[in-house]
PDB file of all heavy atoms in Angstrom:
ATOM      1  N   THR A1032      30.302  14.086  13.304  1.00 97.00           N
ATOM      2  CA  THR A1032      30.812  15.397  12.882  1.00 97.00           C
ATOM      3  C   THR A1032      30.791  15.534  11.357  1.00 97.00           C
ATOM      4  O   THR A1032      30.833  16.642  10.836  1.00 97.00           O
ATOM      5  CB  THR A1032      32.280  15.620  13.333  1.00 97.00           C
ATOM      6  OG1 THR A1032      33.125  14.714  12.613  1.00 97.00           O
ATOM      7  CG2 THR A1032      32.449  15.429  14.826  1.00 97.00           C
ATOM      8  N   GLY A1033      30.807  14.382  10.650  1.00 96.00           N
ATOM      9  CA  GLY A1033      30.834  14.433   9.182  1.00 96.00           C
ATOM     10  C   GLY A1033      32.213  14.782   8.640  1.00 96.00           C
ATOM     11  O   GLY A1033      32.389  14.947   7.431  1.00 96.00           O
ATOM     12  N   ALA A1034      33.213  14.881   9.518  1.00 96.00           N
ATOM     13  CA  ALA A1034      34.561  15.277   9.073  1.00 96.00           C
ATOM     14  C   ALA A1034      35.251  14.128   8.353  1.00 96.00           C
ATOM     15  O   ALA A1034      34.909  12.965   8.538  1.00 96.00           O
ATOM     16  CB  ALA A1034      35.389  15.698  10.278  1.00 96.00           C
ATOM     17  N   GLU A1035      36.221  14.470   7.515  1.00 95.00           N
ATOM     18  CA  GLU A1035      37.002  13.474   6.774  1.00 95.00           C
ATOM     19  C   GLU A1035      38.129  12.889   7.622  1.00 95.00           C
ATOM     20  O   GLU A1035      38.822  11.976   7.200  1.00 95.00           O
ATOM     21  CB  GLU A1035      37.675  14.147   5.565  1.00 95.00           C
ATOM     22  CG  GLU A1035      36.725  14.825   4.634  1.00 95.00           C
ATOM     23  CD  GLU A1035      36.311  13.908   3.517  1.00 95.00           C
ATOM     24  OE1 GLU A1035      37.209  13.365   2.857  1.00 95.00           O
ATOM     25  OE2 GLU A1035      35.083  13.729   3.345  1.00 95.00           O
ATOM     26  N   THR A1036      38.359  13.473   8.802  1.00 97.00           N
ATOM     27  CA  THR A1036      39.445  13.038   9.690  1.00 97.00           C
ATOM     28  C   THR A1036      39.391  11.533   9.919  1.00 97.00           C
ATOM     29  O   THR A1036      38.326  10.961  10.111  1.00 97.00           O
ATOM     30  CB  THR A1036      39.284  13.747  11.060  1.00 97.00           C
ATOM     31  OG1 THR A1036      39.155  15.144  10.831  1.00 97.00           O
ATOM     32  CG2 THR A1036      40.469  13.482  11.971  1.00 97.00           C
ATOM     33  N   LYS A1037      40.567  10.878   9.903  1.00 98.00           N
ATOM     34  CA  LYS A1037      40.626   9.441  10.182  1.00 98.00           C
ATOM     35  C   LYS A1037      41.013   9.231  11.653  1.00 98.00           C
ATOM     36  O   LYS A1037      41.832   9.970  12.200  1.00 98.00           O
ATOM     37  CB  LYS A1037      41.694   8.770   9.310  1.00 98.00           C
ATOM     38  CG  LYS A1037      41.464   8.973   7.826  1.00 98.00           C
ATOM     39  CD  LYS A1037      40.716   7.807   7.249  1.00 98.00           C
ATOM     40  CE  LYS A1037      40.702   7.819   5.747  1.00 98.00           C
ATOM     41  NZ  LYS A1037      39.358   8.109   5.213  1.00 98.00           N
ATOM     42  N   LEU A1038      40.410   8.193  12.230  1.00 98.00           N
ATOM     43  CA  LEU A1038      40.652   7.871  13.643  1.00 98.00           C
ATOM     44  C   LEU A1038      41.424   6.557  13.728  1.00 98.00           C
ATOM     45  O   LEU A1038      40.993   5.543  13.164  1.00 98.00           O
ATOM     46  CB  LEU A1038      39.299   7.733  14.352  1.00 98.00           C
ATOM     47  CG  LEU A1038      39.312   7.234  15.791  1.00 98.00           C
ATOM     48  CD1 LEU A1038      40.015   8.234  16.711  1.00 98.00           C
ATOM     49  CD2 LEU A1038      37.881   6.991  16.276  1.00 98.00           C
ATOM     50  N   ILE A1039      42.558   6.592  14.418  1.00 98.00           N
ATOM     51  CA  ILE A1039      43.371   5.373  14.538  1.00 98.00           C
ATOM     52  C   ILE A1039      43.624   5.066  16.014  1.00 98.00           C
ATOM     53  O   ILE A1039      43.457   5.933  16.877  1.00 98.00           O
ATOM     54  CB  ILE A1039      44.696   5.497  13.747  1.00 98.00           C
ATOM     55  CG1 ILE A1039      45.541   6.676  14.245  1.00 98.00           C
ATOM     56  CG2 ILE A1039      44.416   5.642  12.256  1.00 98.00           C
ATOM     57  CD1 ILE A1039      46.869   6.828  13.528  1.00 98.00           C
ATOM     58  N   ALA A1040      44.026   3.812  16.275  1.00 98.00           N
ATOM     59  CA  ALA A1040      44.258   3.391  17.669  1.00 98.00           C
ATOM     60  C   ALA A1040      45.741   3.117  17.879  1.00 98.00           C
ATOM     61  O   ALA A1040      46.388   2.484  17.042  1.00 98.00           O
ATOM     62  CB  ALA A1040      43.458   2.128  17.966  1.00 98.00           C
ATOM     63  N   VAL A1041      46.263   3.577  19.005  1.00 97.00           N
ATOM     64  CA  VAL A1041      47.608   3.188  19.417  1.00 97.00           C
ATOM     65  C   VAL A1041      47.483   1.776  19.975  1.00 97.00           C
ATOM     66  O   VAL A1041      46.646   1.528  20.841  1.00 97.00           O
ATOM     67  CB  VAL A1041      48.147   4.121  20.532  1.00 97.00           C
ATOM     68  CG1 VAL A1041      49.536   3.678  20.982  1.00 97.00           C
ATOM     69  CG2 VAL A1041      48.165   5.556  20.055  1.00 97.00           C
ATOM     70  N   THR A1042      48.264   0.831  19.458  1.00 94.00           N
ATOM     71  CA  THR A1042      48.190  -0.543  19.985  1.00 94.00           C
ATOM     72  C   THR A1042      49.066  -0.602  21.239  1.00 94.00           C
ATOM     73  O   THR A1042      48.728  -0.015  22.249  1.00 94.00           O
ATOM     74  CB  THR A1042      48.598  -1.563  18.908  1.00 94.00           C
ATOM     75  OG1 THR A1042      49.887  -1.223  18.407  1.00 94.00           O
ATOM     76  CG2 THR A1042      47.578  -1.610  17.792  1.00 94.00           C
ATOM     77  N   VAL A1043      50.193  -1.283  21.156  1.00 87.00           N
ATOM     78  CA  VAL A1043      51.070  -1.371  22.322  1.00 87.00           C
ATOM     79  C   VAL A1043      52.172  -0.332  22.147  1.00 87.00           C
ATOM     80  O   VAL A1043      52.851  -0.321  21.125  1.00 87.00           O
ATOM     81  CB  VAL A1043      51.699  -2.773  22.426  1.00 87.00           C
ATOM     82  CG1 VAL A1043      52.592  -2.876  23.649  1.00 87.00           C
ATOM     83  CG2 VAL A1043      50.609  -3.839  22.468  1.00 87.00           C
ATOM     84  N   LEU A1044      52.342   0.528  23.134  1.00 85.00           N
ATOM     85  CA  LEU A1044      53.383   1.559  23.035  1.00 85.00           C
ATOM     86  C   LEU A1044      54.734   0.897  22.772  1.00 85.00           C
ATOM     87  O   LEU A1044      55.068  -0.104  23.426  1.00 85.00           O
ATOM     88  CB  LEU A1044      53.459   2.364  24.334  1.00 85.00           C
ATOM     89  CG  LEU A1044      52.340   3.363  24.597  1.00 85.00           C
ATOM     90  CD1 LEU A1044      52.521   3.970  25.986  1.00 85.00           C
ATOM     91  CD2 LEU A1044      52.315   4.451  23.549  1.00 85.00           C
ATOM     92  N   THR A1045      55.507   1.479  21.883  1.00 78.00           N
ATOM     93  CA  THR A1045      56.806   0.873  21.559  1.00 78.00           C
ATOM     94  C   THR A1045      57.766   0.934  22.752  1.00 78.00           C
ATOM     95  O   THR A1045      58.764   0.240  22.779  1.00 78.00           O
ATOM     96  CB  THR A1045      57.433   1.573  20.336  1.00 78.00           C
ATOM     97  OG1 THR A1045      57.263   2.978  20.488  1.00 78.00           O
ATOM     98  CG2 THR A1045      56.781   1.139  19.051  1.00 78.00           C
ATOM     99  N   SER A1046      57.450   1.762  23.737  1.00 78.00           N
ATOM    100  CA  SER A1046      58.302   1.848  24.926  1.00 78.00           C
ATOM    101  C   SER A1046      58.034   0.720  25.928  1.00 78.00           C
ATOM    102  O   SER A1046      58.764   0.574  26.906  1.00 78.00           O
ATOM    103  CB  SER A1046      58.096   3.213  25.594  1.00 78.00           C
ATOM    104  OG  SER A1046      56.723   3.457  25.751  1.00 78.00           O
ATOM    105  N   LEU A1047      56.987  -0.083  25.705  1.00 83.00           N
ATOM    106  CA  LEU A1047      56.680  -1.190  26.619  1.00 83.00           C
ATOM    107  C   LEU A1047      57.266  -2.490  26.089  1.00 83.00           C
ATOM    108  O   LEU A1047      56.812  -3.000  25.071  1.00 83.00           O
ATOM    109  CB  LEU A1047      55.157  -1.365  26.763  1.00 83.00           C
ATOM    110  CG  LEU A1047      54.372  -0.209  27.369  1.00 83.00           C
ATOM    111  CD1 LEU A1047      52.885  -0.524  27.393  1.00 83.00           C
ATOM    112  CD2 LEU A1047      54.858   0.089  28.778  1.00 83.00           C
ATOM    113  N   ASP A1048      58.287  -3.003  26.780  1.00 82.00           N
ATOM    114  CA  ASP A1048      58.810  -4.307  26.365  1.00 82.00           C
ATOM    115  C   ASP A1048      58.067  -5.412  27.109  1.00 82.00           C
ATOM    116  O   ASP A1048      57.174  -5.142  27.914  1.00 82.00           O
ATOM    117  CB  ASP A1048      60.335  -4.381  26.567  1.00 82.00           C
ATOM    118  CG  ASP A1048      60.720  -4.157  28.024  1.00 82.00           C
ATOM    119  OD1 ASP A1048      59.836  -4.267  28.909  1.00 82.00           O
ATOM    120  OD2 ASP A1048      61.896  -3.869  28.286  1.00 82.00           O
ATOM    121  N   GLU A1049      58.444  -6.676  26.856  1.00 85.00           N
ATOM    122  CA  GLU A1049      57.686  -7.794  27.446  1.00 85.00           C
ATOM    123  C   GLU A1049      57.751  -7.753  28.978  1.00 85.00           C
ATOM    124  O   GLU A1049      56.773  -8.075  29.644  1.00 85.00           O
ATOM    125  CB  GLU A1049      58.192  -9.146  26.922  1.00 85.00           C
ATOM    126  CG  GLU A1049      58.404  -9.182  25.405  1.00 85.00           C
ATOM    127  CD  GLU A1049      57.220  -9.719  24.610  1.00 85.00           C
ATOM    128  OE1 GLU A1049      56.694 -10.755  24.992  1.00 85.00           O
ATOM    129  OE2 GLU A1049      56.849  -9.092  23.590  1.00 85.00           O
ATOM    130  N   GLY A1050      58.905  -7.314  29.541  1.00 89.00           N
ATOM    131  CA  GLY A1050      59.048  -7.241  30.991  1.00 89.00           C
ATOM    132  C   GLY A1050      58.078  -6.234  31.578  1.00 89.00           C
ATOM    133  O   GLY A1050      57.424  -6.482  32.596  1.00 89.00           O
ATOM    134  N   GLU A1051      57.972  -5.097  30.921  1.00 89.00           N
ATOM    135  CA  GLU A1051      57.070  -4.028  31.382  1.00 89.00           C
ATOM    136  C   GLU A1051      55.612  -4.475  31.255  1.00 89.00           C
ATOM    137  O   GLU A1051      54.795  -4.229  32.147  1.00 89.00           O
ATOM    138  CB  GLU A1051      57.339  -2.797  30.514  1.00 89.00           C
ATOM    139  CG  GLU A1051      56.799  -1.488  31.036  1.00 89.00           C
ATOM    140  CD  GLU A1051      57.508  -0.997  32.284  1.00 89.00           C
ATOM    141  OE1 GLU A1051      58.749  -0.880  32.281  1.00 89.00           O
ATOM    142  OE2 GLU A1051      56.795  -0.747  33.265  1.00 89.00           O
ATOM    143  N   LEU A1052      55.288  -5.163  30.160  1.00 89.00           N
ATOM    144  CA  LEU A1052      53.917  -5.664  29.983  1.00 89.00           C
ATOM    145  C   LEU A1052      53.578  -6.657  31.091  1.00 89.00           C
ATOM    146  O   LEU A1052      52.479  -6.644  31.645  1.00 89.00           O
ATOM    147  CB  LEU A1052      53.761  -6.335  28.604  1.00 89.00           C
ATOM    148  CG  LEU A1052      53.703  -5.371  27.413  1.00 89.00           C
ATOM    149  CD1 LEU A1052      53.779  -6.144  26.097  1.00 89.00           C
ATOM    150  CD2 LEU A1052      52.425  -4.531  27.438  1.00 89.00           C
ATOM    151  N   SER A1053      54.567  -7.517  31.423  1.00 90.00           N
ATOM    152  CA  SER A1053      54.346  -8.519  32.448  1.00 90.00           C
ATOM    153  C   SER A1053      54.071  -7.848  33.803  1.00 90.00           C
ATOM    154  O   SER A1053      53.200  -8.264  34.556  1.00 90.00           O
ATOM    155  CB  SER A1053      55.577  -9.428  32.497  1.00 90.00           C
ATOM    156  OG  SER A1053      55.505 -10.252  33.591  1.00 90.00           O
ATOM    157  N   ARG A1054      54.815  -6.771  34.096  1.00 93.00           N
ATOM    158  CA  ARG A1054      54.582  -6.040  35.352  1.00 93.00           C
ATOM    159  C   ARG A1054      53.179  -5.438  35.387  1.00 93.00           C
ATOM    160  O   ARG A1054      52.612  -5.196  36.437  1.00 93.00           O
ATOM    161  CB  ARG A1054      55.632  -4.941  35.539  1.00 93.00           C
ATOM    162  CG  ARG A1054      56.876  -5.432  36.265  1.00 93.00           C
ATOM    163  CD  ARG A1054      57.779  -4.291  36.668  1.00 93.00           C
ATOM    164  NE  ARG A1054      58.413  -3.685  35.509  1.00 93.00           N
ATOM    165  CZ  ARG A1054      59.497  -4.171  34.915  1.00 93.00           C
ATOM    166  NH1 ARG A1054      60.079  -5.253  35.374  1.00 93.00           N
ATOM    167  NH2 ARG A1054      60.005  -3.585  33.851  1.00 93.00           N
ATOM    168  N   LEU A1055      52.625  -5.184  34.187  1.00 93.00           N
ATOM    169  CA  LEU A1055      51.255  -4.656  34.121  1.00 93.00           C
ATOM    170  C   LEU A1055      50.223  -5.777  34.152  1.00 93.00           C
ATOM    171  O   LEU A1055      49.030  -5.544  34.016  1.00 93.00           O
ATOM    172  CB  LEU A1055      51.078  -3.839  32.828  1.00 93.00           C
ATOM    173  CG  LEU A1055      51.814  -2.498  32.788  1.00 93.00           C
ATOM    174  CD1 LEU A1055      51.808  -1.925  31.373  1.00 93.00           C
ATOM    175  CD2 LEU A1055      51.180  -1.496  33.753  1.00 93.00           C
ATOM    176  N   GLY A1056      50.721  -7.024  34.256  1.00 92.00           N
ATOM    177  CA  GLY A1056      49.801  -8.162  34.326  1.00 92.00           C
ATOM    178  C   GLY A1056      49.417  -8.711  32.965  1.00 92.00           C
ATOM    179  O   GLY A1056      48.489  -9.505  32.836  1.00 92.00           O
ATOM    180  N   ILE A1057      50.125  -8.275  31.920  1.00 90.00           N
ATOM    181  CA  ILE A1057      49.809  -8.741  30.563  1.00 90.00           C
ATOM    182  C   ILE A1057      50.876  -9.740  30.146  1.00 90.00           C
ATOM    183  O   ILE A1057      52.043  -9.374  29.974  1.00 90.00           O
ATOM    184  CB  ILE A1057      49.763  -7.542  29.580  1.00 90.00           C
ATOM    185  CG1 ILE A1057      48.688  -6.551  30.042  1.00 90.00           C
ATOM    186  CG2 ILE A1057      49.501  -8.010  28.156  1.00 90.00           C
ATOM    187  CD1 ILE A1057      48.695  -5.230  29.308  1.00 90.00           C
ATOM    188  N   GLU A1058      50.476 -11.008  29.993  1.00 90.00           N
ATOM    189  CA  GLU A1058      51.475 -12.057  29.765  1.00 90.00           C
ATOM    190  C   GLU A1058      51.582 -12.485  28.299  1.00 90.00           C
ATOM    191  O   GLU A1058      52.334 -13.374  27.962  1.00 90.00           O
ATOM    192  CB  GLU A1058      51.173 -13.284  30.647  1.00 90.00           C
ATOM    193  CG  GLU A1058      51.145 -12.980  32.156  1.00 90.00           C
ATOM    194  CD  GLU A1058      52.519 -12.602  32.747  1.00 90.00           C
ATOM    195  OE1 GLU A1058      53.538 -12.745  32.047  1.00 90.00           O
ATOM    196  OE2 GLU A1058      52.550 -12.122  33.902  1.00 90.00           O
ATOM    197  N   PHE A1059      50.807 -11.865  27.400  1.00 86.00           N
ATOM    198  CA  PHE A1059      50.900 -12.244  25.983  1.00 86.00           C
ATOM    199  C   PHE A1059      52.121 -11.619  25.337  1.00 86.00           C
ATOM    200  O   PHE A1059      52.501 -10.519  25.691  1.00 86.00           O
ATOM    201  CB  PHE A1059      49.680 -11.731  25.206  1.00 86.00           C
ATOM    202  CG  PHE A1059      48.382 -12.263  25.696  1.00 86.00           C
ATOM    203  CD1 PHE A1059      47.564 -11.487  26.493  1.00 86.00           C
ATOM    204  CD2 PHE A1059      47.980 -13.544  25.360  1.00 86.00           C
ATOM    205  CE1 PHE A1059      46.360 -11.972  26.952  1.00 86.00           C
ATOM    206  CE2 PHE A1059      46.763 -14.034  25.815  1.00 86.00           C
ATOM    207  CZ  PHE A1059      45.959 -13.251  26.616  1.00 86.00           C
ATOM    208  N   PRO A1060      52.697 -12.284  24.332  1.00 88.00           N
ATOM    209  CA  PRO A1060      53.743 -11.625  23.547  1.00 88.00           C
ATOM    210  C   PRO A1060      53.146 -10.386  22.861  1.00 88.00           C
ATOM    211  O   PRO A1060      51.967 -10.407  22.475  1.00 88.00           O
ATOM    212  CB  PRO A1060      54.123 -12.678  22.494  1.00 88.00           C
ATOM    213  CG  PRO A1060      53.523 -13.957  22.939  1.00 88.00           C
ATOM    214  CD  PRO A1060      52.398 -13.638  23.879  1.00 88.00           C
ATOM    215  N   SER A1061      53.960  -9.321  22.726  1.00 87.00           N
ATOM    216  CA  SER A1061      53.371  -8.069  22.225  1.00 87.00           C
ATOM    217  C   SER A1061      52.791  -8.212  20.818  1.00 87.00           C
ATOM    218  O   SER A1061      51.794  -7.576  20.496  1.00 87.00           O
ATOM    219  CB  SER A1061      54.353  -6.917  22.323  1.00 87.00           C
ATOM    220  OG  SER A1061      55.526  -7.234  21.667  1.00 87.00           O
ATOM    221  N   ALA A1062      53.369  -9.075  19.972  1.00 91.00           N
ATOM    222  CA  ALA A1062      52.815  -9.225  18.617  1.00 91.00           C
ATOM    223  C   ALA A1062      51.383  -9.755  18.660  1.00 91.00           C
ATOM    224  O   ALA A1062      50.531  -9.335  17.875  1.00 91.00           O
ATOM    225  CB  ALA A1062      53.694 -10.150  17.782  1.00 91.00           C
ATOM    226  N   GLU A1063      51.118 -10.656  19.615  1.00 93.00           N
ATOM    227  CA  GLU A1063      49.751 -11.187  19.735  1.00 93.00           C
ATOM    228  C   GLU A1063      48.779 -10.123  20.221  1.00 93.00           C
ATOM    229  O   GLU A1063      47.642 -10.039  19.774  1.00 93.00           O
ATOM    230  CB  GLU A1063      49.727 -12.355  20.721  1.00 93.00           C
ATOM    231  CG  GLU A1063      49.704 -13.697  20.034  1.00 93.00           C
ATOM    232  CD  GLU A1063      49.762 -14.816  21.043  1.00 93.00           C
ATOM    233  OE1 GLU A1063      48.871 -14.894  21.900  1.00 93.00           O
ATOM    234  OE2 GLU A1063      50.740 -15.586  20.970  1.00 93.00           O
ATOM    235  N   LEU A1064      49.269  -9.322  21.174  1.00 93.00           N
ATOM    236  CA  LEU A1064      48.430  -8.223  21.672  1.00 93.00           C
ATOM    237  C   LEU A1064      48.103  -7.246  20.546  1.00 93.00           C
ATOM    238  O   LEU A1064      46.958  -6.808  20.400  1.00 93.00           O
ATOM    239  CB  LEU A1064      49.204  -7.440  22.731  1.00 93.00           C
ATOM    240  CG  LEU A1064      48.848  -7.578  24.195  1.00 93.00           C
ATOM    241  CD1 LEU A1064      49.588  -6.506  24.974  1.00 93.00           C
ATOM    242  CD2 LEU A1064      47.356  -7.442  24.416  1.00 93.00           C
ATOM    243  N   VAL A1065      49.134  -6.915  19.772  1.00 95.00           N
ATOM    244  CA  VAL A1065      48.934  -5.963  18.676  1.00 95.00           C
ATOM    245  C   VAL A1065      47.911  -6.524  17.693  1.00 95.00           C
ATOM    246  O   VAL A1065      46.987  -5.828  17.269  1.00 95.00           O
ATOM    247  CB  VAL A1065      50.269  -5.656  17.964  1.00 95.00           C
ATOM    248  CG1 VAL A1065      50.027  -4.872  16.686  1.00 95.00           C
ATOM    249  CG2 VAL A1065      51.194  -4.880  18.888  1.00 95.00           C
ATOM    250  N   ARG A1066      48.053  -7.812  17.339  1.00 96.00           N
ATOM    251  CA  ARG A1066      47.117  -8.424  16.390  1.00 96.00           C
ATOM    252  C   ARG A1066      45.679  -8.331  16.929  1.00 96.00           C
ATOM    253  O   ARG A1066      44.756  -7.927  16.229  1.00 96.00           O
ATOM    254  CB  ARG A1066      47.482  -9.897  16.173  1.00 96.00           C
ATOM    255  CG  ARG A1066      46.546 -10.611  15.194  1.00 96.00           C
ATOM    256  CD  ARG A1066      46.705 -12.113  15.309  1.00 96.00           C
ATOM    257  NE  ARG A1066      48.007 -12.571  14.877  1.00 96.00           N
ATOM    258  CZ  ARG A1066      48.318 -12.858  13.621  1.00 96.00           C
ATOM    259  NH1 ARG A1066      47.393 -12.771  12.689  1.00 96.00           N
ATOM    260  NH2 ARG A1066      49.524 -13.261  13.310  1.00 96.00           N
ATOM    261  N   SER A1067      45.536  -8.661  18.207  1.00 96.00           N
ATOM    262  CA  SER A1067      44.199  -8.704  18.773  1.00 96.00           C
ATOM    263  C   SER A1067      43.605  -7.287  18.915  1.00 96.00           C
ATOM    264  O   SER A1067      42.452  -7.040  18.576  1.00 96.00           O
ATOM    265  CB  SER A1067      44.314  -9.466  20.096  1.00 96.00           C
ATOM    266  OG  SER A1067      43.417  -9.015  21.004  1.00 96.00           O
TER     267      SER A1067
END
Side-chain angles (χ1 to χ4, degrees):
T1032 68
E1035 303 267 307
T1036 308
K1037 302 265 192 250
L1038 173 65
I1039 59 179
V1041 178
T1042 55
V1043 181
L1044 286 175
T1045 43
S1046 50
L1047 297 178
D1048 59 17
E1049 314 266 313
E1051 196 69 54
L1052 286 171
S1053 170
R1054 271 191 290 278
L1055 289 168
I1057 300 170
E1058 301 292 350
F1059 300 102
S1061 55
E1063 259 177 59
L1064 254 191
V1065 170
R1066 180 196 294 274
S1067 148

